[in-house]
Amino acid sequence: MRSMRASQTWPKILLLGFFVFLAVLVLIPFAAILIASFKPGKDLIRYGLNLNLDFQIMSLANYVFLFAGDHPYFVWFKNSVILTAFQSALTLLVSAAVGYGFAIYDFRFKRTLFICVLLIMMVPFEILMLPLYQQIIAIRLVDTFSGIILPYMANASTIFFFKQYLGGIPRSLIDAGRVDGASEYGIFARLIFPLMKPAFAAMGILSAMGSWNNFLWPLLVLRSSEKFTLPIGLNTLLTPYGNNYDLLIVGSCFSIIPIFILFLYFQKYFIAGMTAGSVKE
Amino acid sequence: MGEIFVAGLKKLVYSQKLAPYVFVSAFFLTFAIFFVYPLANTTVMSFQSVLPGEVEFIGLDNYTKLFHDEVFWKAVANSFLYMVLTVALLIPFPMVFACFIHSKIMIGGEFFKSVLFIPVLTSLVVAGTIFRLIFGELPGSFMNQLLGYFHHEPIKWLKMQTTGFGALIVLACWRWTGVNILYFLSGLKSIPQEFYESAEIDGANAWQKFFRITMPLLKPITIYVSTISVYAGLAMFLESYMLWTNNNSPDNIGLTIVGYLYRQGIEKNRMGYASAVGLVLLALAMLINLAQLRLTGVLKKEGE
C-alpha cells in the first residue's frame, strides 16, 4: 500500500465533516427528548419540544418522580423484561429445532413445508391481525402473556436463518453421534446446540429488540394496566391534555436505555442478525 | 398390553424416520393454527357482514362498497405515495453513504455506522412521540424555531397534507437510513478489491468505478433492500399511528391501508369490511412478491 498523498487531506476532511453533520441530524431527536426530560411537562405543553437549555427551570424532578413517584412505570418495565426474555428464549428454541429438522433430514413433504415457511414471510402480519385477535378472544388468551407469545413462537425468518446456518454443519459429526448410540434428540441437544451459539446470539438480539419494541399485537391482546408492556403503557400516557408528560418524556428516555446497552455490548451480533437475510446463498 | 404400547410409541418417536417430523412439528402447528386458519377466516369474513351476534353472508358487497369508498382510496394513495417516496430516498442515499463509509479515506466509519443505526433501536412509540412534538404547532417547537431563524411564521406541520406527509417521510428516513447502509455495506464487503485495482490501472475515474463496478455488483442487495422497502412501505401503519396520536390524522392525511383496516376492524368493529381491506392488501403484497421472484430469477430456476 502506498502512503497517503497530500491531495487526499481535503476529501478526508470534507467526508468527515459530512458524516459529523449527518450524525448530528440523527441525534437531534434524542438530544431534544433528553433535554425535555429535565424540564417540567407544563413547559413542554406551553412551548413545544426544542433544544433550548434553560437552567432556570431544568431539574432532576422528573427523574425523582420516575423512581419514587406513584405510577405503574416499573410494573410495565418488569413486564417488558419478562416478556422479552420468554419470547426470545422460546422463539430461539423452537426455531432452532425446526431449522435443524429442515437442514439435516430428508423427509416427505419437506419441500412443501419449507415453501410454507417462505409463505409466512410473504404475508404481512397486519393482514392476520384481526382474525388472530378474534382467535385469541375465543381461546380465552386475551390479557395474557401467552396470547402475545404463542402466535410468534415459530418465527419464519429465524427458522430460515437457522436452516442456512446449520446447512454448513458436517454430516459426519451427526453420524458419529449415531454410532455412539445417541438418540436423534440427544445429538441435537448435546452436539449441535453448542455449535449454534453465534447464530443464537444474532437471532436472540434481533428477537429481543423486536419483542422489546413490539407494539401493535400487545396493544390488541392486553387489557389491564398491570399487564401492560412498556410501549403500551407509555402510549396510555399520551392524552390530549398532556397531564402525564412529565412521566411520558422521562419514561421514554429511560426505556431506550436497555436496548442501547444491549446494542453497545453485542453490536456485531446486531449487525449480523440484521443483514442475515440479505446475504444470498 | 399398555406397557407394550407405550414402549412401541417411544420407539416410534425415537426412530430416525419420525424424528424430523417431531423437529418441525412446532412449525407445522403454528402454521396451521396461527396462519392458515386466520387467513381462511379472514377470507370468509370478507364475504360476510360480521356484527356481534349476527353473521350474514353478503357476497361481494364488502368489495363493491370498498371500491366506492373514497376514504379507502385515500388510504391506498397515501400508502403508495409513502412507498414511492421512501424507496426513492432510502435506496440511493444509503447506497452512496455506504460507499463513503467503505472508502479508504473515511475516518471513524465504524462509529458513524453505529450512530446512524441507533434510531431503529428506538421503540416507535417513543420515536413517534418525539417527532410529533418536534413538528408541533407551537412557536417553540424545534421545527418552528428553525423557521423562526428564517423569519417565517410558525406552521401547523401535522395539520396540512404536504408538511404532515413530509414529517412522516422524515421519520422514515431517520429510522431506516442506518439499517439500509448496513445492508449495502455487507454487499460492498463481498466485492473483490482487485476489480477496483485493475480498473484503476485501466485509468477509470471514481464515477466510472461506481457506475461500472459498484452498482452492477450491488444489484442483488439493491433488489433485496427495494423489496423489503416496498413491502414495509405498503404495510406501514405504526409510524402514522404514533405521529397523529391513535390513528387520527386531520382529513386522513396520514391514513394508510393498514390504518384503515385497523379503524374498520378494531375501532368500528366491522370485521367483514376490514377483512376485505386486508385481502386487497394481501393481493398487493402477493403482486410485489411475484415481481421480486421474477426479478431475482427464482421462478426460472424452479420451472421444472
Side-chain angles (χ1 to χ4, degrees):
Chain A
M1 283 274 108
R2 287 176 42 203
S3 64
M4 219 190 67
R5 286 167 308 184
S7 67
Q8 288 201 326
T9 317
W10 273 111
K12 266 195 165 177
I13 292 169
L14 276 175
L15 201 56
L16 187 65
F18 174 70
F19 273 92
V20 168
F21 170 72
L22 267 189
V24 167
L25 276 187
V26 161
L27 294 174
I28 283 173
F30 294 112
I33 196 157
L34 188 67
I35 291 169
S37 72
F38 294 104
K39 293 177 183 174
K42 285 201 292 287
D43 186 78
L44 190 67
I45 299 299
R46 203 174 306 141
Y47 302 108
L49 184 68
N50 52 42
L51 299 174
N52 300 358
L53 289 167
D54 183 353
F55 293 107
Q56 301 274 304
I57 54 167
M58 285 168 78
S59 70
L60 285 170
N62 291 335
Y63 285 88
V64 172
F65 179 65
L66 177 72
F67 289 106
D70 179 29
H71 54 71
Y73 182 85
F74 283 101
V75 174
W76 301 337
F77 198 94
K78 189 189 78 194
N79 290 343
S80 266
V81 172
I82 293 170
L83 197 73
T84 299
F86 268 93
Q87 191 163 359
S88 308
L90 198 71
T91 300
L92 287 185
L93 271 175
V94 170
S95 306
V98 176
Y100 181 78
F102 277 123
I104 304 296
Y105 297 98
D106 281 310
F107 54 94
R108 243 185 112 182
F109 309 122
K110 173 174 165 171
R111 221 189 123 142
T112 319
L113 256 185
F114 197 67
I115 287 172
C116 295
V117 175
L118 301 178
L119 205 64
I120 289 192
M121 286 196 204
M122 288 180 176
V123 174
F125 167 81
E126 287 81 1
I127 292 167
L128 299 174
M129 171 171 85
L130 299 178
L132 269 177
Y133 175 59
Q134 288 185 313
Q135 249 171 287
I136 293 293
I137 293 173
I139 52 180
R140 303 263 168 96
L141 284 179
V142 152
D143 210 20
T144 63
F145 286 175
S146 312
I148 298 175
I149 294 175
L150 281 177
Y152 287 100
M153 200 171 61
N155 182 292
S157 42
T158 316
I159 291 172
F160 191 79
F161 179 80
F162 284 147
K163 178 190 177 271
Q164 302 289 71
Y165 184 85
L166 289 167
I169 294 236
R171 293 294 170 102
S172 53
L173 182 74
I174 292 159
D175 291 333
R178 281 178 189 151
V179 170
D180 287 345
S183 74
E184 298 298 309
Y185 312 106
I187 293 170
F188 174 66
R190 280 187 223 112
L191 293 177
I192 308 297
F193 224 69
L195 293 178
M196 292 181 73
K197 267 188 197 145
F200 279 144
M203 286 295 117
I205 289 284
L206 206 59
S207 99
M209 185 174 100
S211 180
W212 181 261
N213 290 337
N214 195 2
F215 179 73
L216 192 52
W217 183 238
L219 180 72
L220 294 178
V221 174
L222 297 175
R223 297 280 164 84
S224 46
S225 176
E226 70 270 14
K227 293 215 176 105
F228 283 173
T229 59
L230 209 43
I232 310 294
L234 288 174
N235 188 52
T236 58
L237 299 177
L238 284 165
T239 53
Y241 322 107
N243 46 356
N244 298 314
Y245 272 41
D246 300 337
L247 182 60
L248 175 71
I249 299 296
V250 77
S252 295
C253 268
F254 199 76
S255 76
I256 302 173
I257 292 170
I259 286 284
F260 266 33
I261 292 173
L262 272 183
F263 176 65
L264 288 176
Y265 265 93
F266 300 106
Q267 206 172 332
K268 69 170 199 270
Y269 295 119
F270 254 100
I271 288 168
M274 282 304 270
T275 52
S278 66
V279 183
K280 284 211 99 79
E281 288 294 303
Chain B
M1 190 67 208
E3 279 166 40
I4 295 169
F5 177 74
V6 169
L9 193 72
K10 198 172 166 181
K11 206 172 160 181
L12 186 68
V13 169
Y14 274 87
S15 76
Q16 229 184 83
K17 216 169 158 50
L18 203 74
Y21 296 102
V22 175
F23 277 115
V24 299
S25 60
F27 168 74
F28 183 75
L29 286 174
T30 311
F31 180 71
I33 301 168
F34 296 115
F35 186 83
V36 176
Y37 180 76
L39 201 58
N41 217 345
T42 202
T43 310
V44 171
M45 277 198 294
S46 76
F47 300 107
Q48 291 173 331
S49 154
V50 185
L51 294 163
E54 49 175 319
V55 176
E56 193 191 346
F57 180 78
I58 54 168
L60 290 169
D61 281 9
N62 284 327
Y63 291 95
T64 43
K65 210 167 91 186
L66 199 60
F67 199 75
H68 296 290
D69 184 343
E70 275 178 28
V71 181
F72 172 69
W73 287 112
K74 171 81 186 169
V76 173
N78 280 343
S79 283
F80 268 86
L81 183 64
Y82 179 85
M83 183 173 96
V84 169
L85 287 174
T86 46
V87 170
L89 292 167
L90 285 169
I91 306 286
F93 287 106
M95 189 195 286
V96 173
F97 295 166
C99 291
F100 283 158
I101 290 179
H102 194 67
S103 76
K104 285 186 210 133
I105 56 165
M106 181 74 199
I107 307 163
E110 285 296 314
F111 169 77
F112 288 112
K113 195 170 82 178
S114 304
V115 169
L116 294 176
F117 184 80
I118 286 173
V120 88
L121 303 173
T122 318
S123 157
L124 257 175
V125 176
V126 176
T129 302
I130 301 174
F131 271 75
R132 194 164 47 82
L133 295 167
I134 281 181
F135 283 92
E137 53 192 62
L138 293 162
S141 74
F142 179 78
M143 289 305 288
N144 278 337
Q145 276 191 334
L146 277 188
L147 285 182
Y149 293 130
F150 298 102
H151 305 292
H152 193 291
E153 296 291 293
I155 285 182
K156 295 188 173 175
W157 293 92
L158 297 175
K159 296 238 165 106
M160 297 186 296
Q161 177 75 45
T162 318
T163 49
F165 216 82
L168 199 58
I169 299 294
V170 170
L171 172 60
C173 291
W174 174 77
R175 249 180 103 74
W176 293 106
T177 300
V179 177
N180 287 0
I181 287 176
L182 284 185
Y183 284 130
F184 286 119
L185 274 173
S186 72
L188 286 171
K189 284 200 184 91
S190 64
I191 299 178
Q193 213 45 47
E194 295 86 64
F195 285 22
Y196 293 108
E197 281 158 15
S198 54
E200 267 168 47
I201 292 165
D202 292 341
N205 62 26
W207 288 107
Q208 285 169 318
K209 278 191 283 183
F210 179 75
F211 285 109
R212 300 270 170 84
I213 302 171
T214 312
M215 272 188 53
L217 287 171
L218 280 180
K219 199 181 153 189
I221 296 276
T222 310
I223 290 175
Y224 176 80
V225 178
S226 312
T227 313
I228 51 174
S229 306
V230 163
Y231 212 75
L234 192 68
M236 191 275 283
F237 167 52
L238 281 185
E239 280 86 345
S240 91
Y241 180 99
M242 290 318 316
L243 203 55
W244 287 277
T245 329
N246 295 341
N247 209 15
N248 262 327
S249 49
D251 256 349
N252 297 319
I253 51 177
L255 184 72
T256 66
I257 303 176
V258 177
Y260 199 53
L261 179 138
Y262 185 87
R263 181 182 296 174
Q264 293 294 346
I266 302 291
E267 293 167 14
K268 296 189 173 171
N269 211 351
R270 296 178 190 150
M271 287 284 187
Y273 198 52
S275 292
V277 178
L279 282 191
V280 172
L281 180 62
L282 180 65
L284 291 171
M286 282 300 148
L287 279 176
I288 290 166
N289 285 317
L290 279 175
Q292 192 227 357
L293 292 174
R294 286 289 300 266
L295 275 172
T296 47
V298 173
L299 286 182
K300 279 187 210 119
K301 267 182 236 160
E302 309 235 335
E304 291 152 36

